[in-house]
PDB file of all heavy atoms in Angstrom:
ATOM      1  N   VAL A 302      35.171  -5.862 -32.971  1.00  0.00           N
ATOM      2  CA  VAL A 302      36.107  -6.547 -32.054  1.00  0.00           C
ATOM      3  C   VAL A 302      37.067  -7.265 -32.922  1.00  0.00           C
ATOM      4  O   VAL A 302      36.709  -7.931 -33.913  1.00  0.00           O
ATOM      5  CB  VAL A 302      35.310  -7.513 -31.125  1.00  0.00           C
ATOM      6  CG1 VAL A 302      36.250  -8.464 -30.493  1.00  0.00           C
ATOM      7  CG2 VAL A 302      34.521  -6.730 -30.095  1.00  0.00           C
ATOM      8  N   ILE A 303      38.332  -7.144 -32.518  1.00  0.00           N
ATOM      9  CA  ILE A 303      39.411  -7.764 -33.323  1.00  0.00           C
ATOM     10  C   ILE A 303      40.184  -8.746 -32.414  1.00  0.00           C
ATOM     11  O   ILE A 303      40.734  -8.348 -31.379  1.00  0.00           O
ATOM     12  CB  ILE A 303      40.410  -6.754 -33.960  1.00  0.00           C
ATOM     13  CG1 ILE A 303      39.627  -5.854 -34.896  1.00  0.00           C
ATOM     14  CG2 ILE A 303      41.489  -7.438 -34.698  1.00  0.00           C
ATOM     15  CD1 ILE A 303      40.389  -4.617 -35.380  1.00  0.00           C
ATOM     16  N   HIS A 304      40.261 -10.009 -32.847  1.00  0.00           N
ATOM     17  CA  HIS A 304      41.057 -10.989 -32.114  1.00  0.00           C
ATOM     18  C   HIS A 304      42.443 -11.016 -32.727  1.00  0.00           C
ATOM     19  O   HIS A 304      42.636 -11.810 -33.719  1.00  0.00           O
ATOM     20  CB  HIS A 304      40.304 -12.372 -32.166  1.00  0.00           C
ATOM     21  CG  HIS A 304      39.008 -12.400 -31.612  1.00  0.00           C
ATOM     22  ND1 HIS A 304      38.766 -12.661 -30.265  1.00  0.00           N
ATOM     23  CD2 HIS A 304      37.762 -12.231 -32.151  1.00  0.00           C
ATOM     24  CE1 HIS A 304      37.465 -12.622 -30.041  1.00  0.00           C
ATOM     25  NE2 HIS A 304      36.844 -12.396 -31.152  1.00  0.00           N
ATOM     26  N   TYR A 305      43.348 -10.265 -32.219  1.00  0.00           N
ATOM     27  CA  TYR A 305      44.740 -10.273 -32.772  1.00  0.00           C
ATOM     28  C   TYR A 305      45.353 -11.634 -32.346  1.00  0.00           C
ATOM     29  O   TYR A 305      46.077 -12.229 -33.126  1.00  0.00           O
ATOM     30  CB  TYR A 305      45.533  -9.080 -32.172  1.00  0.00           C
ATOM     31  CG  TYR A 305      46.841  -8.878 -32.798  1.00  0.00           C
ATOM     32  CD1 TYR A 305      46.961  -8.647 -34.136  1.00  0.00           C
ATOM     33  CD2 TYR A 305      47.963  -8.893 -32.027  1.00  0.00           C
ATOM     34  CE1 TYR A 305      48.161  -8.449 -34.731  1.00  0.00           C
ATOM     35  CE2 TYR A 305      49.252  -8.715 -32.631  1.00  0.00           C
ATOM     36  CZ  TYR A 305      49.370  -8.507 -33.971  1.00  0.00           C
ATOM     37  OH  TYR A 305      50.598  -8.308 -34.499  1.00  0.00           O
ATOM     38  N   HIS A 306      45.104 -12.041 -31.095  1.00  0.00           N
ATOM     39  CA  HIS A 306      45.410 -13.397 -30.698  1.00  0.00           C
ATOM     40  C   HIS A 306      44.146 -14.023 -30.281  1.00  0.00           C
ATOM     41  O   HIS A 306      43.260 -13.429 -29.685  1.00  0.00           O
ATOM     42  CB  HIS A 306      46.350 -13.401 -29.461  1.00  0.00           C
ATOM     43  CG  HIS A 306      47.652 -12.744 -29.736  1.00  0.00           C
ATOM     44  ND1 HIS A 306      48.278 -11.885 -28.802  1.00  0.00           N
ATOM     45  CD2 HIS A 306      48.493 -12.741 -30.762  1.00  0.00           C
ATOM     46  CE1 HIS A 306      49.409 -11.453 -29.330  1.00  0.00           C
ATOM     47  NE2 HIS A 306      49.597 -11.949 -30.499  1.00  0.00           N
ATOM     48  N   LEU A 307      44.010 -15.344 -30.523  1.00  0.00           N
ATOM     49  CA  LEU A 307      42.838 -16.071 -30.100  1.00  0.00           C
ATOM     50  C   LEU A 307      43.060 -16.599 -28.736  1.00  0.00           C
ATOM     51  O   LEU A 307      44.083 -17.172 -28.333  1.00  0.00           O
ATOM     52  CB  LEU A 307      42.519 -17.227 -31.115  1.00  0.00           C
ATOM     53  CG  LEU A 307      41.733 -16.833 -32.345  1.00  0.00           C
ATOM     54  CD1 LEU A 307      41.745 -17.981 -33.337  1.00  0.00           C
ATOM     55  CD2 LEU A 307      40.257 -16.438 -31.953  1.00  0.00           C
ATOM     56  N   PRO A 308      42.033 -16.544 -27.834  1.00  0.00           N
ATOM     57  CA  PRO A 308      42.146 -17.132 -26.501  1.00  0.00           C
ATOM     58  C   PRO A 308      42.155 -18.632 -26.533  1.00  0.00           C
ATOM     59  O   PRO A 308      41.686 -19.245 -27.481  1.00  0.00           O
ATOM     60  CB  PRO A 308      40.896 -16.560 -25.743  1.00  0.00           C
ATOM     61  CG  PRO A 308      39.875 -16.374 -26.822  1.00  0.00           C
ATOM     62  CD  PRO A 308      40.653 -15.962 -28.037  1.00  0.00           C
ATOM     63  N   LEU A 309      42.615 -19.236 -25.441  1.00  0.00           N
ATOM     64  CA  LEU A 309      42.658 -20.715 -25.375  1.00  0.00           C
ATOM     65  C   LEU A 309      41.290 -21.255 -25.176  1.00  0.00           C
ATOM     66  O   LEU A 309      40.956 -22.327 -25.714  1.00  0.00           O
ATOM     67  CB  LEU A 309      43.547 -21.148 -24.228  1.00  0.00           C
ATOM     68  CG  LEU A 309      45.090 -20.826 -24.367  1.00  0.00           C
ATOM     69  CD1 LEU A 309      45.795 -21.186 -23.119  1.00  0.00           C
ATOM     70  CD2 LEU A 309      45.653 -21.490 -25.564  1.00  0.00           C
ATOM     71  N   GLN A 310      40.454 -20.530 -24.447  1.00  0.00           N
ATOM     72  CA  GLN A 310      39.108 -21.069 -24.019  1.00  0.00           C
ATOM     73  C   GLN A 310      38.019 -20.430 -24.891  1.00  0.00           C
ATOM     74  O   GLN A 310      38.006 -19.254 -25.141  1.00  0.00           O
ATOM     75  CB  GLN A 310      38.817 -20.764 -22.574  1.00  0.00           C
ATOM     76  CG  GLN A 310      39.907 -21.349 -21.622  1.00  0.00           C
ATOM     77  CD  GLN A 310      39.976 -22.857 -21.668  1.00  0.00           C
ATOM     78  OE1 GLN A 310      38.972 -23.533 -21.849  1.00  0.00           O
ATOM     79  NE2 GLN A 310      41.148 -23.441 -21.365  1.00  0.00           N
ATOM     80  N   GLU A 311      37.045 -21.243 -25.226  1.00  0.00           N
ATOM     81  CA  GLU A 311      35.932 -20.721 -26.005  1.00  0.00           C
ATOM     82  C   GLU A 311      35.137 -19.693 -25.292  1.00  0.00           C
ATOM     83  O   GLU A 311      34.637 -18.748 -25.880  1.00  0.00           O
ATOM     84  CB  GLU A 311      34.973 -21.944 -26.423  1.00  0.00           C
ATOM     85  CG  GLU A 311      33.813 -21.465 -27.304  1.00  0.00           C
ATOM     86  CD  GLU A 311      32.966 -22.635 -27.796  1.00  0.00           C
ATOM     87  OE1 GLU A 311      33.181 -23.767 -27.293  1.00  0.00           O
ATOM     88  OE2 GLU A 311      32.070 -22.370 -28.591  1.00  0.00           O
ATOM     89  N   HIS A 312      34.895 -19.871 -23.968  1.00  0.00           N
ATOM     90  CA  HIS A 312      34.112 -18.919 -23.243  1.00  0.00           C
ATOM     91  C   HIS A 312      34.714 -17.497 -23.234  1.00  0.00           C
ATOM     92  O   HIS A 312      34.042 -16.491 -23.227  1.00  0.00           O
ATOM     93  CB  HIS A 312      33.814 -19.394 -21.791  1.00  0.00           C
ATOM     94  CG  HIS A 312      35.013 -19.498 -20.884  1.00  0.00           C
ATOM     95  ND1 HIS A 312      35.456 -18.388 -20.228  1.00  0.00           N
ATOM     96  CD2 HIS A 312      35.788 -20.537 -20.538  1.00  0.00           C
ATOM     97  CE1 HIS A 312      36.512 -18.768 -19.480  1.00  0.00           C
ATOM     98  NE2 HIS A 312      36.750 -20.038 -19.639  1.00  0.00           N
ATOM     99  N   GLU A 313      36.043 -17.402 -23.302  1.00  0.00           N
ATOM    100  CA  GLU A 313      36.706 -16.136 -23.331  1.00  0.00           C
ATOM    101  C   GLU A 313      36.489 -15.467 -24.751  1.00  0.00           C
ATOM    102  O   GLU A 313      36.341 -14.297 -24.863  1.00  0.00           O
ATOM    103  CB  GLU A 313      38.219 -16.148 -23.047  1.00  0.00           C
ATOM    104  CG  GLU A 313      38.562 -16.433 -21.584  1.00  0.00           C
ATOM    105  CD  GLU A 313      37.979 -15.373 -20.661  1.00  0.00           C
ATOM    106  OE1 GLU A 313      37.594 -14.283 -21.144  1.00  0.00           O
ATOM    107  OE2 GLU A 313      38.025 -15.594 -19.435  1.00  0.00           O
TER     108      GLU A 313
END
Side-chain angles (χ1 to χ4, degrees):
V302 163
I303 299 171
H304 300 273
Y305 189 60
H306 299 139
L307 277 168
L309 295 175
Q310 305 294 330
E311 182 177 7
H312 66 84
E313 288 299 349

